[in-house]
Amino acid sequence: MVRSHKDGPLPRVVIVGAGFGGLNAARALRRAPARVVVIDRRNHHLFQPLLYQVATAALNPSDIASPIRRILRGQENVEVILAEATAVDVAARAVVLADGSVPYDYLIVATGATHSYFGHDDWARFAPGLKTIEDALDIRRRVLFAFEAAEREPDPDRRRAWLTFVIVGAGPTGVEMAGALREIARHALARDFRHIDPTQARVILLEGAPRVLPVYVESLSEQARRQLADLGVEVRTGQMVTAIDAEGVGIGPERIAARTVIWAAGVAASPLARSLGVPLDRAGRVQVEPDLTIPGHGEVAVIGDLAGLSQDGHPVPGVAPAAIQEARHAARNVVRMIQGQPRLPFRYRDKGSLATIGRAAAVADLGRVQLSGGIAWLAWLFIHILFLIGFRNRILVLIQWAWSYVTYDRGARLITGPLPKIEGAGPGTG
Amino acid sequence: MVRSHKDGPLPRVVIVGAGFGGLNAARALRRAPARVVVIDRRNHHLFQPLLYQVATAALNPSDIASPIRRILRGQENVEVILAEATAVDVAARAVVLADGSVPYDYLIVATGATHSYFGHDDWARFAPGLKTIEDALDIRRRVLFAFEAAEREPDPDRRRAWLTFVIVGAGPTGVEMAGALREIARHALARDFRHIDPTQARVILLEGAPRVLPVYVESLSEQARRQLADLGVEVRTGQMVTAIDAEGVGIGPERIAARTVIWAAGVAASPLARSLGVPLDRAGRVQVEPDLTIPGHGEVAVIGDLAGLSQDGHPVPGVAPAAIQEARHAARNVVRMIQGQPRLPFRYRDKGSLATIGRAAAVADLGRVQLSGGIAWLAWLFIHILFLIGFRNRILVLIQWAWSYVTYDRGARLITGPLPKIEGAGPGTG
């Protein structure tokens, strides 16, 4: 299937998705003898690892998102299209859009993952996940509004339900959300209300596995659990959620009355994968060849969270560093194919894992070294600032973090969008 | 109607609305012998004069909005309620909420104004106004998306319509929007597209009156017109819009094909005014007594954009300084009534007007002195930074402005929310 373009017009490389994978693939092709087309249904690249900071009112959307056009504007051989790719026509070598199609010579699919409710899609209404800016603003609205509703609720049981926050899933996102929620309650909101004490807010972190951060080494899970407990997060491991509705969460026969539930558990690959016509794993990921291409189509590579790949018996994790390594490898293979050379297999190099828990609290697994507490937090801060796309963002985010750190304040505490309905809440006064 | 509370429990002062008027009334009552209740349907105070900067992607919502609770948290005698006031029951002395009611001894109504389409409410869909953060994000989405749609539109006429922006109304908001849109097109987006030249975008500013900024002195209108022309804004005065739809604007028999229309023309007072049972003017403002109270009810004051008041034959303008002066006066009168003293009449002191047009372009009327150009812009910058609520915001906004000024960049260029539909647009490539 590999064609040589040495004498014809420049081959066209289409990249679908401008997350860590897609964007790095485009950049890696900057000197390639090819026209590159990047398609995304958003106009911005999103720095997802910091999305929980938007959900918890510490950062603004534009601090962690940057227009794809701006990021790539200096790269002459790239064109950006704002459009939703609905399918890939592998036989015709074209990406199908909602309103047209884009042909390709080489394709890199990097559309990532969304959250999965393990077959309980009705839970989505009550327990939003955290993948997009809109998700983050939705969660921010729910969290801030819960305190407002509690302030006006005269019934103590109902008030307690407004002040109870359940997070389902204790991976990095769940751990970060839980820590940040307790910090908001303890510091940012502490003096703002007259009828409630925000510091009494309960944050319950539920995990089905026997420990938090289950993919990390056990000692770090234990460190994280202790740091969460210090913040006042109630960690409950080995707990399978069986019901979620507007009033709370069910765990078998037990019920937790909570008006705010956040989903940080399941991940499902983007539905675009199905149209490739190749085997998917249980989470919907494309089972790629060792060179990241799909069986029978060397011109189509799948990278990032959408790619299902195992190495030495372990799955390559769905994290940004893996997506970036895969992106660069896929780009290199495209250039090799254009030059008539064979593709090379991909090899993932694990550089370690990091999760932050709160103010000066974090855990880091750097392979030989495990860190926790303040040092891990500084490492986390440094690496995240470093990888934030766009110089302006880095400076501004650093200033906002410094400000929040010193003052315990959260600048982006805005409830925007339609106000949620309080069912049965009485007036605040009178 | 004035009661003395010297011996009873503290009287309750209810303030509806936490804009410039309501917030300053609450602050002016900080040492008053009263319990103060502030009711707003938003959790944030909004610095409306800079809202156009959010609409044009220069600032983030949280740069110009601050939680009401945080602003007032140090003031012990204030309670904040997040709720929508639907009416005032003047006879029962209670503010009616969507879900309850709040009784008052003294009431200050400061719910402001919204935009009016002069009886053409069907225009609202096609030509959003600019009063809330949601409005600003809607306009930002439309403006940024128009360039994306133009990039993908092969038909030259349709592409031109995407690249034509019409602003209806050349008051301060319309002038500021027009200038900012041309600056985005000329600088921020200039190098980002491959099929269109954003610098060719047309910005047309329509005004029914014979000159821009019609309430300013004539020499400044002329200065503003010239500065707008320098930026490439097409200014058309004496033009009455007779139709607006998805395809553009009609001015009598003439049509302007434009996919983006912004409404900056009419203002209507908040509908709460009707429930007061007193005469309203044509724009729905409450015709208040010289002491800012309503006829027959000295315990009810109306301030800010909702108050209709003339002085020396001129209406007091609907601007922030007027609202702030009225707020302080109404608060002072409340204290006088509590102390058994008579109310005093209000006297507006005009400190001047300012409007910004673009980068180092503005006009200022400071009574004896009229400024324009760079000096007026610096005055505008200084005053707006000074009045921004919250120290953190001032610093961050200043940094962002400095950054934008040096780099011509716009940091908040995000299209969030549902993607608009492009009807009939072809694919970008292929």
Side-chain angles (χ1 to χ4, degrees):
Chain A
M1 304 297 279
V2 178
R3 297 182 295 182
S4 171
H5 299 269
K6 273 181 185 151
D7 308 315
L10 284 181
R12 167 144 44 186
V13 185
V14 173
I15 299 168
V16 185
F20 287 110
L23 209 52
N24 279 282
R27 282 172 156 180
L29 290 166
R30 65 186 171 282
R31 277 189 283 271
R35 292 155 62 204
V36 179
V37 179
V38 175
I39 302 172
D40 200 294
R41 59 181 169 170
R42 306 275 172 181
N43 84 324
H44 50 271
H45 168 76
L46 180 62
F47 193 82
Q48 272 189 353
L50 291 180
L51 199 51
Y52 82 98
Q53 297 254 11
V54 174
T56 54
L59 291 179
N60 276 299
S62 79
D63 295 330
I64 62 158
S66 199
I68 300 162
R69 289 192 186 287
R70 184 171 63 186
I71 298 170
L72 295 173
R73 78 174 158 202
Q75 192 171 330
E76 299 285 339
N77 67 345
V78 169
E79 174 181 340
V80 178
I81 298 180
L82 173 69
E84 173 134 26
T86 54
V88 176
D89 187 338
V90 177
R93 296 197 176 182
V95 175
V96 181
L97 309 180
D99 52 358
S101 76
V102 181
Y104 62 79
D105 297 302
Y106 302 97
L107 176 67
I108 297 175
V109 185
T111 49
T114 180
H115 25 261
S116 156
Y117 291 87
F118 304 134
H120 294 280
D121 285 350
D122 54 312
W123 294 356
R125 275 174 59 207
F126 310 112
L130 188 61
K131 279 286 174 193
T132 65
I133 283 182
E134 287 81 1
D135 291 342
L137 295 179
D138 180 26
I139 289 175
R140 186 179 80 181
R141 176 168 49 228
R142 287 172 189 245
V143 167
L144 295 176
F145 184 74
F147 288 96
E148 298 287 341
E151 170 82 349
R152 295 190 58 205
E153 176 57 63
D155 178 77
D157 284 342
R158 298 178 67 91
R159 191 160 59 224
R160 222 174 347 257
W162 278 116
L163 290 177
T164 302
F165 301 83
V166 173
I167 293 144
V168 184
T173 300
V175 165
E176 286 161 353
M177 275 299 301
L181 281 180
R182 273 298 299 164
E183 292 199 329
I184 289 184
R186 266 218 314 206
H187 300 296
L189 299 179
R191 295 190 294 131
D192 284 14
F193 293 87
R194 299 289 181 257
H195 302 287
I196 59 166
D197 176 1
T199 66
Q200 298 303 306
R202 291 178 70 192
V203 177
I204 302 169
L205 180 61
L206 300 178
E207 170 60 46
R211 54 191 176 96
V212 302
L213 298 176
V215 302
Y216 285 45
V217 298
E218 234 175 296
S219 61
L220 286 186
S221 290
E222 178 50 30
Q223 291 282 1
R225 196 200 54 71
R226 203 176 315 152
Q227 293 181 51
L228 284 165
D230 287 347
L231 277 171
V233 174
E234 300 170 39
V235 177
R236 295 175 54 172
T237 50
Q239 305 271 307
M240 293 307 262
V241 170
T242 51
I244 302 178
D245 57 34
E247 304 289 326
V249 173
I251 304 167
E254 186 196 347
R255 270 198 69 82
I256 302 173
R259 298 297 296 250
T260 313
V261 183
I262 295 162
W263 187 259
V267 163
S270 142
L272 196 72
R274 258 173 260 135
S275 68
L276 293 171
V278 291
L280 309 181
D281 69 12
R282 223 168 47 103
R285 281 183 293 253
V286 177
Q287 294 186 274
V288 294
E289 303 285 329
D291 62 4
L292 303 174
T293 64
I294 62 173
H297 286 278
E299 77 279 11
V300 179
V302 178
I303 62 172
D305 288 358
L306 190 67
L309 181 66
S310 279
Q311 186 171 291
D312 308 333
H314 295 289
V316 174
V319 295
I324 294 169
Q325 290 179 32
E326 289 169 7
R328 291 177 182 156
H329 188 84
R332 201 176 311 132
N333 270 345
V334 164
V335 173
R336 289 180 66 87
M337 286 188 278
I338 292 172
Q339 295 168 339
Q341 297 174 295
R343 294 185 299 276
L344 299 173
F346 171 71
R347 185 99 208 132
Y348 172 60
R349 297 189 51 200
D350 186 356
K351 304 258 181 75
S353 333
L354 278 161
T356 183
I357 293 151
R359 188 180 156 87
V363 292
D365 180 356
L366 306 175
R368 250 168 286 187
V369 191
Q370 275 93 39
L371 305 172
S372 78
I375 290 177
W377 187 75
L378 281 178
W380 175 88
L381 194 72
F382 178 75
I383 288 171
H384 282 75
I385 288 285
L386 202 70
F387 274 89
L388 255 193
I389 302 244
F391 175 72
R392 174 185 170 282
N393 283 357
R394 280 183 216 171
I395 299 281
L396 277 178
V397 168
L398 206 57
I399 291 168
Q400 297 200 42
W401 277 348
W403 183 260
S404 305
Y405 193 84
V406 173
T407 64
Y408 287 101
D409 203 355
R410 301 245 161 190
R413 269 171 50 199
L414 309 182
I415 301 179
T416 54
L419 213 57
K421 271 268 174 292
I422 318 184
E423 288 140 40
T429 54
Chain B
M1 302 301 278
V2 177
R3 297 180 295 181
S4 172
H5 300 268
K6 275 179 186 153
D7 308 314
L10 284 182
R12 168 144 43 185
V13 185
V14 173
I15 299 168
V16 187
F20 287 110
L23 208 53
N24 280 282
R27 284 173 156 181
L29 290 166
R30 66 188 170 279
R31 276 187 285 270
R35 293 156 60 205
V36 179
V37 179
V38 175
I39 302 172
D40 200 294
R41 59 179 168 172
R42 307 277 171 177
N43 84 325
H44 50 272
H45 167 76
L46 180 63
F47 193 82
Q48 272 190 352
L50 292 180
L51 199 51
Y52 82 97
Q53 297 254 11
V54 174
T56 54
L59 292 178
N60 276 299
S62 80
D63 295 329
I64 60 159
S66 199
I68 299 162
R69 289 191 187 287
R70 184 171 62 185
I71 298 170
L72 295 174
R73 78 173 158 203
Q75 191 171 332
E76 299 284 340
N77 68 343
V78 169
E79 177 181 336
V80 177
I81 298 180
L82 174 69
E84 172 134 28
T86 55
V88 176
D89 187 338
V90 178
R93 295 198 178 183
V95 174
V96 182
L97 307 180
D99 52 358
S101 76
V102 180
Y104 62 79
D105 297 302
Y106 302 97
L107 175 67
I108 297 174
V109 186
T111 48
T114 178
H115 25 259
S116 156
Y117 291 87
F118 304 133
H120 294 280
D121 285 351
D122 54 309
W123 293 357
R125 275 174 59 207
F126 310 113
L130 188 60
K131 281 285 175 196
T132 65
I133 283 182
E134 288 80 0
D135 290 343
L137 295 178
D138 179 27
I139 290 175
R140 185 178 81 181
R141 176 168 49 228
R142 287 171 190 245
V143 167
L144 295 175
F145 184 73
F147 288 96
E148 298 287 341
E151 170 84 349
R152 295 190 59 204
E153 175 59 62
D155 178 76
D157 285 340
R158 300 178 66 92
R159 191 161 61 223
R160 218 168 357 249
W162 279 115
L163 290 176
T164 303
F165 301 84
V166 173
I167 294 145
V168 184
T173 300
V175 165
E176 285 161 355
M177 275 299 302
L181 281 180
R182 273 298 300 163
E183 290 198 330
I184 290 183
R186 268 218 313 206
H187 300 296
L189 300 179
R191 295 189 294 131
D192 283 15
F193 293 87
R194 300 289 181 258
H195 301 288
I196 59 166
D197 177 1
T199 65
Q200 298 302 306
R202 289 177 72 192
V203 176
I204 303 170
L205 180 61
L206 301 178
E207 170 59 47
R211 55 194 176 91
V212 302
L213 299 175
V215 302
Y216 285 46
V217 297
E218 236 177 292
S219 61
L220 286 185
S221 290
E222 178 51 30
Q223 291 283 359
R225 195 199 55 70
R226 204 176 314 151
Q227 293 181 49
L228 285 165
D230 287 348
L231 276 171
V233 175
E234 301 171 37
V235 178
R236 295 175 55 173
T237 51
Q239 306 269 307
M240 294 306 263
V241 170
T242 51
I244 302 178
D245 58 34
E247 304 288 326
V249 172
I251 305 167
E254 187 195 346
R255 271 199 69 83
I256 301 173
R259 298 299 293 253
T260 313
V261 182
I262 296 163
W263 188 257
V267 163
S270 138
L272 196 73
R274 257 174 259 136
S275 68
L276 293 171
V278 291
L280 308 181
D281 70 10
R282 224 166 47 101
R285 282 183 292 253
V286 177
Q287 294 186 275
V288 294
E289 303 284 329
D291 63 4
L292 302 174
T293 65
I294 62 173
H297 286 278
E299 77 280 9
V300 179
V302 178
I303 62 173
D305 288 357
L306 191 66
L309 180 66
S310 278
Q311 188 171 290
D312 309 334
H314 295 288
V316 173
V319 295
I324 294 169
Q325 291 179 34
E326 289 169 8
R328 291 177 183 157
H329 188 83
R332 201 177 310 133
N333 271 344
V334 164
V335 173
R336 289 179 67 88
M337 286 189 279
I338 292 173
Q339 294 168 338
Q341 296 174 293
R343 295 186 299 277
L344 298 174
F346 170 70
R347 185 98 208 130
Y348 172 59
R349 297 188 54 199
D350 186 356
K351 305 258 181 74
S353 334
L354 278 160
T356 183
I357 294 150
R359 190 180 155 87
V363 292
D365 179 357
L366 306 176
R368 249 168 286 187
V369 191
Q370 276 94 42
L371 305 172
S372 80
I375 290 177
W377 186 77
L378 281 178
W380 175 89
L381 193 72
F382 178 75
I383 288 172
H384 281 76
I385 289 286
L386 201 70
F387 275 89
L388 255 193
I389 302 243
F391 174 73
R392 176 184 168 282
N393 282 357
R394 282 183 213 168
I395 300 281
L396 277 178
V397 168
L398 206 58
I399 291 169
Q400 297 200 41
W401 277 348
W403 183 260
S404 304
Y405 194 84
V406 173
T407 64
Y408 288 99
D409 205 355
R410 302 245 160 189
R413 269 171 50 199
L414 310 181
I415 300 179
T416 53
L419 213 57
K421 271 267 173 296
I422 318 185
E423 289 141 38
T429 53

